[in-house]
Amino acid sequence: MDGGCFGCFSGLLGALGVPGVRRAPSSVRVAAVQCSSQMGSADAIEENADKMERLARRAAAKGAQIIVFPEAALTGYTSQPFLHNWHTPQRKLAPRFAGINPAKVVPTVDSPIVRRFVDLAQELGVYLTIPFVEEVLHPSRHFFNTVCLASPGGKIVVHYRKTHLWDFVDGSWADRGDGPGMYDSEFGRIGLGICFDIHRLAELYKGKDLWALLYSVAWVGHRTDGPTERWFRKDLPETYLGTEGGLPCFVVAANWSTEREYSWDGAGYSSIYGPDGQRLAFLDLEIGDNILYQDIPCRP
């Protein structure tokens, strides 16, 4: 009996309640973690890692099997006051920012701090995104805006790099990724995306038959986009999601937060959307660490 037929047969036995046969899941609980991060030093990254682990454990204890963190949550994307940014020599830095060189500060993909979350995913039995500013040393030093997907099996099953950079922040340090990142899980086909990628994700994943997009966000509002609350409530789903030329899959959007109120707009309102673009759940919060849950049907 080939693998496909065996899978169908065992799924049927599981549905009939035959002892010893695992029943295929009909739904899965996803979690969008909305949290703040520090940036600029190895100590800040360790602090972020400790917070992320606490939040991942809390989400898993509530039954989440897929956990999504905001953009660059491990390393920080910018400082919370939006006054410091990563910056490598010979790159242009926006006048708003003071620059911090990421060299020898941010991790490589095979570093112990990234491995910590791969091991955590295995311990908790969950899929877990690991978003961070990534350093690549060979054949020469480069930096990427990266998110990895760790599996319950204790492996990195997707290593995705942001393909559509936001020049205002990413332009001072990041190189561009070159393709989609997908994994066929027991729940359905998962894709990854990072914040400004949204402007091209429908094209990037066209014809890929995604079940769910795990979307790590560090949104910054702009007068041409409108406030962040409206972006997640109206503009994002109406423009970029759904079956009419958008992403026709579930979208778990985890946005960053801050520890207190600042003058810039962009934090909060993490949301989970259905394949038709309808918003299924959201956080009406901007400050502090919170977790949004939703049970969604599987498509194995």
Side-chain angles (χ1 to χ4, degrees), residues 244-276:
E244 297 298 323
L247 283 163
C249 63
F250 291 100
V251 175
V252 184
N255 193 27
W256 62 355
S257 66
T258 53
E259 293 171 5
R260 65 175 180 85
E261 188 173 351
Y262 290 98
S263 59
W264 62 276
D265 176 67
Y269 305 102
S270 296
S271 300
I272 298 171
Y273 305 89
D276 58 358

Side-chain angles (χ1 to χ4, degrees), residues 117-159:
F117 286 94
V118 178
D119 293 342
L120 181 64
Q122 184 175 32
E123 177 193 340
L124 299 177
V126 301
Y127 290 94
L128 180 71
T129 66
I130 314 168
F132 64 105
V133 174
E134 176 195 0
E135 183 173 32
V136 174
L137 298 175
H138 302 289
S140 59
R141 175 171 276 137
H142 293 275
F143 298 92
F144 294 92
N145 192 333
T146 292
V147 59
C148 292
L149 180 65
S151 75
K155 296 180 180 179
I156 291 177
V157 292
V158 183
H159 181 187

Side-chain angles (χ1 to χ4, degrees), residues 219-222 226-229 262-267 269 286:
W219 195 253
V220 177
H222 189 272
T228 300
E229 185 279 329
Y262 290 98
S263 59
W264 62 276
D265 176 67
Y269 305 102
E286 299 178 5

Side-chain angles (χ1 to χ4, degrees), residues 22-100:
R22 184 178 178 182
R23 186 171 183 172
S26 59
S27 66
V28 61
R29 178 161 296 178
V30 298
V33 178
Q34 182 171 288
C35 64
S36 61
S37 298
Q38 307 297 325
M39 64 93 68
S41 68
D43 287 344
I45 293 172
E46 287 289 345
E47 182 179 335
N48 295 337
D50 290 344
K51 175 191 283 191
M52 290 171 65
E53 179 172 342
R54 290 194 301 269
L55 291 167
R57 290 186 180 278
R58 185 194 307 173
K62 292 288 188 179
Q65 293 177 271
I66 298 175
I67 303 171
V68 185
F69 283 98
E71 180 176 13
L74 179 57
T75 55
Y77 185 51
T78 70
S79 64
Q80 289 186 47
F82 206 57
L83 295 175
H84 291 80
N85 186 21
W86 301 109
H87 179 229
T88 57
Q90 288 79 52
R91 293 280 191 115
K92 184 179 178 181
L93 181 69
R96 177 186 180 96
F97 296 118
I100 299 173

